[in-house]
Amino acid sequence: MKKIAVLTSGGDAPGMNACIRAIVRCAASHKLEVMGIRRGYAGLLEGDFVKLGPRSVANIIHRGGTFLETARCEEMKTAEGIKKAVEVLQREGVEELITIGGDGTFRGAVALAEAGDTKVIGVPGTIDNDVYGTDYAIGFDTATNTALDAIDKIRDTAGSLQRPFFIEVMGKDRGFIALDVGIAGGAEDILIPETETKIEELCLSIKRNFKKGKKCSIVIVAEGDEAGGVFQIAQEVWERLRLDYRICVLGHIQRGGSPTARDRILASKLGAAAVDALAGGKSGYMVGELKGELALTPLRDAWEKRKELDNNLLQLMKVLSA
Ligand code: F6P
């Protein structure tokens, strides 16, 4: 019986469990043996494998995080690490590997495929949604909804005390989460790394909002915004406007929680597509979804090519946040 393995690597994302479940159950329907690798590439290097069957993935579809656990593994960035990983996969008799994660995960997967005989398929799982070759990565929808829920609550108190609020959201060096939650949450301003942040303009906007009779100013700040971070931005605004303000860093709550229906469905489809791709003899690809259709993208493109923000949304942001 052919043996395949699955691992999750890098930052966990809600929906990863649903994806593992889909992989294990689809693999069973193809009569494949599945091994789970615990703690991503770190577990791979240590040979931390566990046999998975359809029953081992029962009751996980609704759980956040990843039951296989994950890691950020520096050793996999070295030639020695790759060599060791190839040896472990050979020793364990793993012919095919599915990796769920973001750009770092795919770099490791390509290095493995190039250094050994293991066939690899990647599945995009990151709340940052910064992966080329898919409109949505697993976890993004849940993370934006979690952030949105918090922003709605903050709006209640911000309006009651008529204060500007600076809310930092995750996204690494990209503004996908900030842009979506900013629009969905009716933010007065959205600061993202992809557009230049001008403090004077931000101050004007905040002043204008209060003059217009708005009760609050919600400013969404992507953690990767180039203007020095949420604390510095808020301080610079205060120095000019002397308005009492508050900062809220949403942080890791955005990574946790039960996945939304959208994320569970995407995870199920992409998990099944990954197994199908391997069954069809494919290797070195990421499975994704573009305009509602399943799409295979060379794994290398997934991190080498830049995924652009939706231009229409960017335009809308400018109009709505003016
Ligand atoms: O890549 C996912 C992510 O949550 C980013 O949005 C964030 O910058 C980073 O991971 C945080 O990583 P860690 O959990 O290692 O602090």
Side-chain angles (χ1 to χ4, degrees), residues 10-12 72 126-128 130 169-173 177 223 251-252 255:
D12 50 280
R72 300 196 190 277
T126 165
I127 64 164
D128 302 331
D130 56 349
V169 296
M170 278 188 168
K172 221 165 45 192
D173 52 357
I177 297 179
E223 65 175 346
H252 286 77
R255 279 235 304 261

Side-chain angles (χ1 to χ4, degrees), residues 27-28 37 44 61 71-72 82 108 123 125 144 153 163 195 218 222 228 255 261 268 279 281-282 289 313:
I37 302 174
L44 168 56
I61 194 166
R72 300 196 190 277
I82 301 293
V123 182
T144 50
K153 289 181 172 124
R163 278 171 175 157
T195 59
I218 299 286
R255 279 235 304 261
S268 302
K282 295 268 191 301
E289 208 175 60
L313 266 193

Side-chain angles (χ1 to χ4, degrees), residues 13-19 60-65 138-143 145-146 255-265 267:
M16 281 182 164
N17 283 325
C19 188
I60 61 167
I61 194 166
H62 61 298
R63 280 171 46 197
I138 297 164
F140 174 69
D141 188 62
T142 308
N145 277 294
T146 301
R255 279 235 304 261
S258 183
T260 58
R262 202 171 270 274
D263 267 333
R264 296 182 203 191
I265 294 164

